[in-house]
């Protein structure tokens, strides 16, 4: 029992004892006890009323001067008030800090409620999207009516970012990412990537122009080297001519791959989309692979009859042939290379497997990077440009397909391309 409660009990017992003795002395025991207890009840109501008025006034005035059980209640409420005041101060400080941080961000932040109504945004979002105070509570899809944005917000999966022109300034390119939190609420992050896309455009243009310009001098050099090879070389120069020719071929292959990559990345490049017989396409690739291998590898092909996909014949040949030719270039004599295509549920899988040297698993995430090689010396010795898998990735991106890679050192590698079935509606192409 708390001290204040004990004191209150003792007070009541003392009051009853005194009132009882006094009542016995005057011959009115019950009447005296009733009056004493009534007086105590009135005093209790008075104390409770003072306490209630203090609490209703949000404890802004000085606490009632009381003791016993009511004093303990006042002390407990006063301590709770102090703790609450400290928490409010801390919360206000954190909110102020958060507001300062969001105001300092270059990225825009938007918070949508469960009905996709705008509930909050930071200054950067207002600048990027032209939001005004009266837009609070409005549906975001009524403010931004781009079909791609409406689909992005309504899907609420946010697995991939969305790029689109700014609804406020059409010369800007915005990127949206999102996440869900709380009870169906959504936070959107919007970034201005106009400069990044402009730099990427300049890079593509530069690479494409340089690659085109390289072709003419390389063709001239190749002609002179062939002429020199047909003549009687000076002593010790025959090997030099061969090395010159090999390096020219390598530079020519690099220029061709760079031109192809620039074309794949170009938004102005017109792509054809036809039904392609994978059996015929892969058979053609395997015939060329046999010529490159010169019978040093075992190449097998297995394709389900009537397997078709929609896309560009030229691009798909470039992408899939790179997978097969890489398997030849990077595996020793006698390695088995299996090329297959089959329907799997809602997709068609094209796989290129080998039982060769394999690749360390820690390098797998970087294989599709430009010029990345697990072993740079191996790339030079095989004549590779380091762009093969980058081309594969871009070709697959243009066909809304994906690439998965599984490999183990000493146990070979498997590259699988996942395409939508040709009888499925093709989504809009996405430029990488």
């Amino acid at each position: 029992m708390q001290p204040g409660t004990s004191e209150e009990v003792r007070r009541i017992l003392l009051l009853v004892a005194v009132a009882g003795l006094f009542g016995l002395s005057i011959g009115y025991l019950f009447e005296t006890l009733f009056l004493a207890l009534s007086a105590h009840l009135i005093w209790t109501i008075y104390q409770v009323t003072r306490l209630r008025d203090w609490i209703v006034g949000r404890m802004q005035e000085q606490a009632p001067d009381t003791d016993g059980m009511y004093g303990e209640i006042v002390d407990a409420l006063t301590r709770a008030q102090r703790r609450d005041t400290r928490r409010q101060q801390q919360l206000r400080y954190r909110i102020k800090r958060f507001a300062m941080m969001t105001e300092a961000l270059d990225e825009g932040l938007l918070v949508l409620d469960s009905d996709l109504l705008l509930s909050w945004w930071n200054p950067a979002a207002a600048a990027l999207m032209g939001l005004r105070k009266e837009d609070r509570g409005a549906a975001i899809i009524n403010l931004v009516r781009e079909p791609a944005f409406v689909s992005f917000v309504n899907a609420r999966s946010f697995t991939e970012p969305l790029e689109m022109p700014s609804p406020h300034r059409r010369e800007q390119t915005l990127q949206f990412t999102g996440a869900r939190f709380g009870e169906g609420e959504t936070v959107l992050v919007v970034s201005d990537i106009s400069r990044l896309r402009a730099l990427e455009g300049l890079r593509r243009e530069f690479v494409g122009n340089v690659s085109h310009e390289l072709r003419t001098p390389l063709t001239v050099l190749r002609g002179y080297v062939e002429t020199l090879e047909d003549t009687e070389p000076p002593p010790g120069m025959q090997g030099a001519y061969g090395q010159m020719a090999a390096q020219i071929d390598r530079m020519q292959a690099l220029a061709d791959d760079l031109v192809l990559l620039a074309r794949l990345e170009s938004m102005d490049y017109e792509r054809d989309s036809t039904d392609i017989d994978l059996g015929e396409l892969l058979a053609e690739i395997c015939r060329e692979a046999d010529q490159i291998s010169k019978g040093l590898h075992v190449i097998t092909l297995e394709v389900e009859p009537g397997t078709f996909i929609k896309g560009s014949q030229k691009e798909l040949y470039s992408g899939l042939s790179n997978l097969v030719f890489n398997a030849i270039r990077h595996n020793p004599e006698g390695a088995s290379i299996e090329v297959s295509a089959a329907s799997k549920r809602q997709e068609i899988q094209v796989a290129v497997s080998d039982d060769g040297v394999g690749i360390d698993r820690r390098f797998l995430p970087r294989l599709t990077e430009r010029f990345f090689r697990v072993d740079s010396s191996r790339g030079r010795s095989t004549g590779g440009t380091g762009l093969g898998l980058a081309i594969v990735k871009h070709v697959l991106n243009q066909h809304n397909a994906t690439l998965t890679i599984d490999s183990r050192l000493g146990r070979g590698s498997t590259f699988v391309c996942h395409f939508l079935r040709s009888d499925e509606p093709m989504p809009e192409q996405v430029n990488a």
Side-chain angles (χ1 to χ4, degrees), residues 405-422:
I405 306 172
D406 183 32
S407 185
R408 296 178 184 274
L409 280 175
R411 299 175 61 180
S413 306
T414 299
F415 296 79
V416 182
C417 306
H418 304 264
F419 295 90
L420 286 178
R421 291 174 58 89
S422 60

Side-chain angles (χ1 to χ4, degrees), residues 166-182:
S166 168
H168 183 52
R169 299 185 181 92
R170 303 302 293 183
E171 67 276 8
Q172 282 184 324
T173 301
L174 303 181
Q175 182 182 75
F176 291 88
T177 56
R180 300 187 66 182
F181 71 99

Side-chain angles (χ1 to χ4, degrees), residues 200-310:
E200 288 182 353
L202 289 174
R203 175 186 60 79
R204 287 195 299 268
E205 184 178 355
F206 172 77
V207 170
N209 290 339
V210 169
S211 303
H212 279 291
E213 292 300 323
L214 279 174
R215 286 180 165 181
T216 299
L218 287 174
T219 301
V220 173
L221 287 173
R222 180 63 177 165
Y224 279 120
V225 169
E226 289 177 351
T227 300
L228 290 173
E229 287 179 326
D230 292 338
T231 61
E232 185 66 26
M237 290 299 295
Q238 185 62 44
Y241 292 160
Q243 291 180 8
M244 290 170 62
Q247 294 302 316
I248 290 173
D249 289 342
R250 185 176 173 217
M251 291 187 66
Q252 183 69 56
L254 177 60
D256 292 342
D257 282 352
L258 286 172
V259 169
L260 177 58
L261 269 177
R263 187 169 68 247
L264 290 172
E265 292 178 333
S266 173
M267 299 185 65
D268 300 328
Y269 173 56
E270 294 185 3
R271 297 173 174 84
D272 59 332
S273 181
T274 58
D275 286 327
I276 299 170
D277 188 333
L278 273 178
E280 294 180 0
L281 178 64
L282 294 175
E284 182 182 354
I285 292 173
C286 288
R287 283 193 295 270
E288 187 170 345
D290 279 326
Q291 295 176 2
I292 296 173
S293 173
K294 298 178 181 178
L296 300 179
H297 302 81
V298 180
I299 303 173
T300 58
L301 173 63
E302 183 177 352
V303 182
E304 289 183 1
T307 306
F308 289 82
I309 58 175
K310 280 188 178 293

Side-chain angles (χ1 to χ4, degrees), residues 31-323:
E31 291 82 351
T32 305
L33 288 174
F34 175 77
L35 290 174
L37 292 174
S38 298
H40 184 271
L41 178 60
I42 294 172
W43 179 84
T44 300
I45 293 173
Y46 170 71
Q47 296 290 348
V48 171
T49 301
R50 294 175 63 204
L51 186 60
R52 182 205 62 189
D53 293 341
W54 180 61
I55 295 173
V56 170
R58 296 188 178 182
M59 298 181 284
Q60 298 297 322
E61 299 178 358
Q62 185 175 357
D65 185 14
T66 184
D67 58 3
M69 181 172 61
Y70 302 104
E72 284 187 347
I73 294 174
V74 169
D75 292 341
L77 290 173
T78 302
R79 288 194 298 270
Q81 182 188 35
R82 290 171 182 169
R83 287 196 300 269
D84 185 60
T85 300
R86 286 196 297 269
R87 290 194 186 101
Q88 289 181 1
Q89 291 174 345
Q90 292 173 354
L91 182 59
R92 283 195 293 267
Y93 173 75
R94 291 173 182 172
I95 292 174
K96 183 178 179 181
R97 292 277 295 175
F98 176 77
M100 293 172 61
M101 286 188 293
T102 56
E103 289 177 2
L105 288 175
D106 292 330
E107 289 79 13
L109 297 176
L110 301 95
V111 176
L112 313 178
D113 64 16
S114 57
D115 295 322
L116 300 181
L117 305 180
L118 272 170
S119 59
W120 179 87
W121 60 84
N122 69 342
L128 290 171
M129 302 186 66
L131 299 175
R132 300 166 298 178
K133 290 183 178 179
E134 51 266 32
D135 293 329
R136 190 179 304 276
I140 186 68
I141 58 177
N142 290 337
L143 300 176
V144 183
R145 298 178 180 271
E146 292 286 342
F149 180 81
V150 174
S151 300
F152 175 77
V153 172
N154 284 330
R156 302 193 187 189
S157 57
F158 309 121
T159 54
E160 296 291 337
L162 169 70
E163 293 182 17
M164 55 172 279
S166 168
H168 183 52
R169 299 185 181 92
R170 303 302 293 183
E171 67 276 8
Q172 282 184 324
T173 301
L174 303 181
Q175 182 182 75
F176 291 88
T177 56
R180 300 187 66 182
F181 71 99
E183 298 181 359
E185 296 173 288
T186 301
V187 59
L188 295 179
V189 181
V190 53
S191 307
D192 182 3
I193 59 171
S194 306
R195 180 175 175 80
L196 176 62
R197 290 294 171 259
L199 290 175
E200 288 182 353
L202 289 174
R203 175 186 60 79
R204 287 195 299 268
E205 184 178 355
F206 172 77
V207 170
N209 290 339
V210 169
S211 303
H212 279 291
E213 292 300 323
L214 279 174
R215 286 180 165 181
T216 299
L218 287 174
T219 301
V220 173
L221 287 173
R222 180 63 177 165
Y224 279 120
V225 169
E226 289 177 351
T227 300
L228 290 173
E229 287 179 326
D230 292 338
T231 61
E232 185 66 26
M237 290 299 295
Q238 185 62 44
Y241 292 160
Q243 291 180 8
M244 290 170 62
Q247 294 302 316
I248 290 173
D249 289 342
R250 185 176 173 217
M251 291 187 66
Q252 183 69 56
L254 177 60
D256 292 342
D257 282 352
L258 286 172
V259 169
L260 177 58
L261 269 177
R263 187 169 68 247
L264 290 172
E265 292 178 333
S266 173
M267 299 185 65
D268 300 328
Y269 173 56
E270 294 185 3
R271 297 173 174 84
D272 59 332
S273 181
T274 58
D275 286 327
I276 299 170
D277 188 333
L278 273 178
E280 294 180 0
L281 178 64
L282 294 175
E284 182 182 354
I285 292 173
C286 288
R287 283 193 295 270
E288 187 170 345
D290 279 326
Q291 295 176 2
I292 296 173
S293 173
K294 298 178 181 178
L296 300 179
H297 302 81
V298 180
I299 303 173
T300 58
L301 173 63
E302 183 177 352
V303 182
E304 289 183 1
T307 306
F308 289 82
I309 58 175
K310 280 188 178 293
S312 166
Q313 176 93 12
K314 187 175 181 180
E315 289 184 8
L316 288 171
Y317 181 88
S318 298
L320 298 178
S321 63
N322 265 296
L323 291 178

